[in-house]
Amino acid sequence: QAMQLFGAAAMVYGSKVADLPEDEHSVEMFNNWFYGALGASDLGAIDEGSTLVRDEPKKIREAILALPEPLAEEHMARFAGNLFSRMSSVNPAIKLRYLEAGFEIVGDHPQAYEAKKVFDYYMDLTSEIQLDVAVDGSADIGTDPFGLKVQLKHTAIIEKESGGFSRYLQNQQNSNGFYNYGRPMENYRDKFEDAARAALEESFEVMSVTFNKEDVNSKPIERYGWRRTPYAYILLKAKGEEVDRVPQLKIDLDFLDTSGYAVLPIVSPVVPVNASTTPEPQPMQALAVTQTLD
């Protein structure tokens, strides 16, 4: 209903704007419609829990273009210019979503040039980092415990530019002595574990989440210029034989940009599994057991 009222207001404004003096022309109504579609009419109140109303950016674009010329171009130019100038007020966790939806409205308008540079930077970053999740062993998992190996695959260049990924193995708010390169302190490990458990708990019992050490080093992989950083190991049990996939997992990585910093979600692909077949025992070699008795 709120989105419908924004649309109705745009129609009223469009019917009157040709008779208004130039100093009363404004895109604030379109801005508020845009922010409302993102999750709140106050831009600063939109957070990672907000959900975009999917069809609204297209409707906003149509409403601006429906204004009489040359007012349509004037308003589109103003709206496009606001995309970058207001980025400092955007929650870092929704900057990518903000720009994606914004460019659905303004397209390749030249007034959005600065915002486009930031958006292209985000796209480059997300194309050079992958969250890789793989079953430890056969995809025939049965209903016995099995492991998921979680690692980051990335270019060597992006690892160097970001200062490495060791901070994502830290809970910085619970300890002293951390410096987060201009970003707020974050409990990265807890944040990933909470998100992973929420994604997995519908189909799996999460028995444990074990993280790598903070001083982990990346290792080269076959893809030229790419490396992998082992991140975590998750021990699971399928809740039933009908389970046929491991859902997407997500890690939030943060990067500095010209508007401050941004949090970019990196999502793993869905992993097919078969819980109806009992897996063959995995081969084991060079096993040593040490017992300490008190």
Side-chain angles (χ1 to χ4, degrees):
Q1 289 176 340
M3 296 302 107
Q4 290 173 355
L5 288 172
F6 277 124
M11 290 183 64
V12 173
Y13 178 77
S15 68
K16 304 288 187 181
V17 65
D19 299 324
L20 294 175
E22 186 174 350
D23 61 358
E24 293 186 22
H25 295 176
S26 173
V27 293
E28 280 309 295
M29 184 202 61
F30 298 108
N31 285 333
N32 291 333
W33 187 359
F34 176 46
Y35 305 153
L38 286 167
S41 54
D42 177 2
L43 180 59
I46 306 169
D47 59 24
E48 57 190 314
S50 304
T51 302
L52 173 69
V53 185
R54 185 61 265 166
D55 293 334
E56 295 307 302
K58 178 182 177 182
K59 295 177 183 178
I60 297 169
R61 175 177 175 82
E62 292 172 349
I64 296 176
L65 294 179
L67 298 175
E69 288 293 356
L71 299 179
E73 169 56 25
E74 173 196 330
H75 285 70
M76 187 65 80
R78 291 191 187 187
F79 188 94
N82 285 342
L83 272 184
F84 180 76
S85 65
R86 300 192 177 186
M87 276 198 70
S88 59
S89 301
V90 179
N91 185 306
I94 67 127
K95 282 185 176 180
L96 178 59
R97 189 191 320 165
Y98 167 84
L99 289 178
E100 284 177 333
F103 280 108
E104 286 186 48
I105 299 171
V106 303
D108 58 357
H109 197 285
Q111 289 298 323
Y113 173 73
E114 291 297 330
K116 187 66 164 59
K117 287 198 298 184
V118 176
F119 183 65
D120 289 344
Y121 172 62
Y122 293 166
M123 292 295 98
D124 287 342
L125 290 174
T126 55
S127 69
E128 294 187 34
I129 305 175
Q130 300 171 357
L131 182 62
D132 182 72
V133 174
V135 176
D136 186 6
S138 170
D140 294 327
I141 59 171
T143 54
D144 293 330
F146 72 99
L148 277 183
K149 296 183 289 185
V150 182
Q151 59 186 349
L152 288 168
K153 290 184 177 180
H154 48 82
T155 63
I157 294 174
I158 207 66
E159 179 181 19
K160 182 177 180 181
E161 287 184 357
S162 65
F165 302 103
S166 62
R167 66 177 175 275
Y168 300 105
L169 292 161
Q170 302 169 350
N171 280 335
Q172 298 175 330
Q173 293 174 340
N174 296 343
S175 305
N176 295 321
F178 288 114
Y179 174 68
N180 203 18
Y181 305 96
R183 308 163 178 86
M185 296 298 179
E186 181 71 83
N187 285 345
Y188 291 108
R189 282 176 31 159
D190 287 352
K191 186 176 182 180
F192 174 81
E193 181 171 349
D194 291 345
R197 287 181 179 274
L200 294 165
E201 64 184 4
E202 180 178 348
S203 300
F204 299 94
E205 176 188 347
V206 182
M207 303 175 70
S208 65
V209 180
T210 304
F211 289 91
N212 216 319
K213 296 180 180 180
E214 295 175 18
D215 59 358
V216 62
N217 293 314
S218 64
K219 301 177 181 180
I221 59 177
E222 291 182 359
R223 186 175 179 181
Y224 178 75
W226 282 65
R227 302 179 68 84
R228 65 180 179 90
T229 299
Y231 185 66
Y233 192 91
I234 304 176
L235 192 64
L236 303 170
K237 280 178 64 175
K239 290 184 177 180
E241 294 184 354
E242 73 282 356
V243 174
D244 62 357
R245 70 189 64 189
V246 176
Q248 293 177 319
L249 301 185
K250 177 176 73 76
I251 186 170
D252 291 328
L253 305 182
D254 47 53
F255 296 90
L256 295 175
D257 62 34
T258 54
S259 64
Y261 78 100
V263 177
L264 304 181
I266 308 298
V267 181
S268 69
V270 171
V271 180
V273 293
N274 180 10
S276 63
T277 302
T278 302
E280 293 292 327
Q282 293 192 55
M284 187 180 299
Q285 297 177 342
L287 174 66
V289 177
T290 301
Q291 291 181 311
T292 302
L293 305 181
D294 186 346

